[in-house]
Amino acid sequence: MQTPPVTELSTRAREIFRLVVEGYLTSGQPVGSKTLASDGALNLSPASIRSVLAELEGLGLLAAPHTSAGRMPTEGGLRLFVDGMMQVAEPSDAERQAIERRLSAPGPIEAALEATSAILSDISGAAGMVMVPRREPRLAQLSLVPLSPDRALAVLVGEDGGIENRVITLSSPVMASALEQASNYITARLNGRTLAQAAAAMRAELADGRSQLDEASRDLVERGLAVWSEDAARRPVLIVRGQANLLDETALSDIDRVRSLLDDLESKQSVAELLDSARDADSTRIFIGSENRLFALSGSSIIASPYRDREGKVVGVLGVIGPTRLNYARVVPIVDFTAQSLGKLIG
């Protein structure tokens, strides 16, 4: 059923609908007519309120999960509320300071991405997610260290001070001199390039015979290129923190939904693809429940925002995932502010 626009609801229906949605998002429980009448804000009898609730249910905006248990918004009702009625609350000064303080801690960019995911989880009470920027670090040095007769460790040092390790399997025992020669050859061609750029230059030299490497060193370089290419393809693109927040009291009564959500998070690639669809958004995007096929079973929502560098280029996406009863009005500006703060840090 297609839900009506908010302008088609009467003033009384809009107010009752708003109170039901806000009450549900706060408590996670259906809201009944007696509760609404006792608040005193409506100045209506429970019977009058029940009549409006029935009307809203008929429009597909509310649902009654149990007989005489009150109403809760449907996914269509939540979408109507989020798009047409929600008034966001800006982050408090304390929240802004906490976000900026944790992001400004010294360390490589990977640490900032981890911190961002944890911050979003802590403040929202749900799970925080950050997509790793689609850019490779520029590398400054590579060293090959022997581990055993058939293995060597490649230690890559980035211009930002970050360090990555990869294990290379050797076809036969290699002399220390060959490891050193290969290390020097690769380091000379990094020269502020990304690994992909350096790899392309090395492959071109090896292919046309311009390199002065001996056979053992050449084999080391070629094996290294293969390992790095494979590693880049498998590198996780999504950092998720706070999954335990999804296991609250209300979740225990719907454990199948939560298990489905945790399974979705475990296969990060699918969630990352959904987040990636928010890269071109002008502002924070909200995905509610079965609006997206991925969450048709788990009934979950995602609030996502792209983060940009100082030139305005989108370098990644971050967000929060949780049940559809997320506090959208509070979480949306938190996600937006965190995206701005992370973008400033990345530069």
Side-chain angles (χ1 to χ4, degrees):
M1 177 188 298
Q2 185 174 0
T3 56
V6 69
T7 53
E8 290 188 7
L9 300 179
S10 67
T11 301
R12 174 184 292 184
R14 280 201 302 269
E15 182 62 11
I16 290 176
F17 175 68
R18 181 184 66 80
L19 291 173
V20 170
V21 175
E22 290 179 347
Y24 171 73
L25 295 180
T26 299
S27 68
Q29 301 297 323
V31 178
S33 56
K34 290 183 179 179
T35 299
L36 293 171
S38 65
D39 285 345
L42 295 172
N43 197 27
L44 294 172
S45 68
S48 297
I49 294 173
R50 281 196 295 272
S51 175
V52 177
L53 291 175
E55 174 189 342
L56 292 169
E57 186 175 355
L59 292 172
L61 298 175
L62 299 179
H66 307 290
T67 305
S68 302
R71 264 62 166 204
M72 57 187 286
T74 61
E75 289 181 359
L78 284 174
R79 173 53 66 188
L80 179 71
F81 175 78
V82 165
D83 289 347
M85 302 180 69
M86 181 176 72
Q87 295 183 347
V88 298
E90 291 300 314
S92 67
D93 288 341
E95 289 171 334
R96 290 172 183 267
Q97 292 169 11
I99 292 170
E100 291 175 337
R101 182 174 60 252
R102 291 177 65 178
L103 287 184
S104 62
I109 188 60
E110 289 79 10
L113 297 175
E114 294 269 359
T116 300
S117 184
I119 290 167
L120 290 170
S121 173
D122 292 345
I123 294 180
S124 69
M129 304 179 296
V130 178
M131 261 184 64
V132 175
R134 282 185 174 178
R135 63 179 186 179
E136 292 185 77
R138 296 191 177 275
L139 302 169
Q141 181 180 355
L142 178 138
S143 299
L144 293 170
V145 181
L147 294 177
S148 67
D150 62 349
R151 292 193 308 161
L153 179 68
V155 182
L156 296 104
V157 181
E159 288 186 338
D160 61 355
I163 298 176
E164 296 187 29
N165 300 322
R166 294 166 171 81
V167 175
I168 298 175
T169 301
L170 308 176
S171 58
S172 60
V174 176
M175 299 288 290
S177 59
L179 290 171
E180 183 178 0
Q181 185 184 22
S183 299
N184 293 338
Y185 173 82
I186 296 170
T187 296
R189 280 145 188 82
L190 294 177
N191 193 26
R193 295 169 169 170
T194 66
L195 190 55
Q197 292 168 341
M202 285 185 280
R203 283 196 174 98
E205 286 193 16
L206 293 172
D208 63 16
R210 281 184 285 141
S211 74
Q212 300 299 313
L213 296 174
D214 59 29
E215 185 176 346
S217 299
R218 180 188 178 100
D219 182 62
L220 276 172
V221 172
E222 290 178 336
R223 287 180 179 276
L225 293 179
V227 169
W228 297 328
S229 299
E230 179 182 356
D231 179 81
R234 294 182 178 181
R235 179 177 297 186
V237 294
L238 188 67
I239 300 172
V240 182
R241 293 292 179 270
Q243 293 97 317
N245 288 339
L246 304 173
L247 300 172
D248 58 12
E249 292 181 3
T250 58
L252 297 179
S253 62
D254 195 4
I255 198 65
D256 287 339
R257 178 190 66 79
V258 177
R259 184 180 293 114
S260 176
L261 173 56
L262 293 176
D263 287 344
D264 291 338
L265 289 177
E266 186 65 26
S267 95
K268 294 180 179 179
Q269 189 60 37
S270 296
V271 180
E273 289 171 1
L274 175 59
L275 277 182
D276 200 41
S277 68
R279 289 178 64 90
D280 298 328
D282 293 329
S283 58
T284 301
R285 288 194 63 183
I286 301 173
F287 304 90
I288 299 176
S290 58
E291 290 179 349
N292 185 274
R293 177 188 55 80
L294 179 62
F295 301 123
L297 296 179
S298 64
S300 306
S301 289
I302 278 185
I303 300 172
S305 176
Y307 56 97
R308 296 172 166 81
D309 60 20
R310 288 191 178 91
E311 297 176 354
K313 180 182 177 182
V314 173
V315 292
V317 181
L318 56 78
V320 163
I321 184 171
T324 54
R325 62 177 185 82
L326 281 170
N327 187 339
Y328 299 93
R330 179 168 181 266
V331 176
V332 166
I334 289 291
V335 168
D336 184 57
F337 180 76
T338 305
Q340 295 175 32
S341 300
L342 182 58
K344 292 176 184 176
L345 176 68
I346 289 177

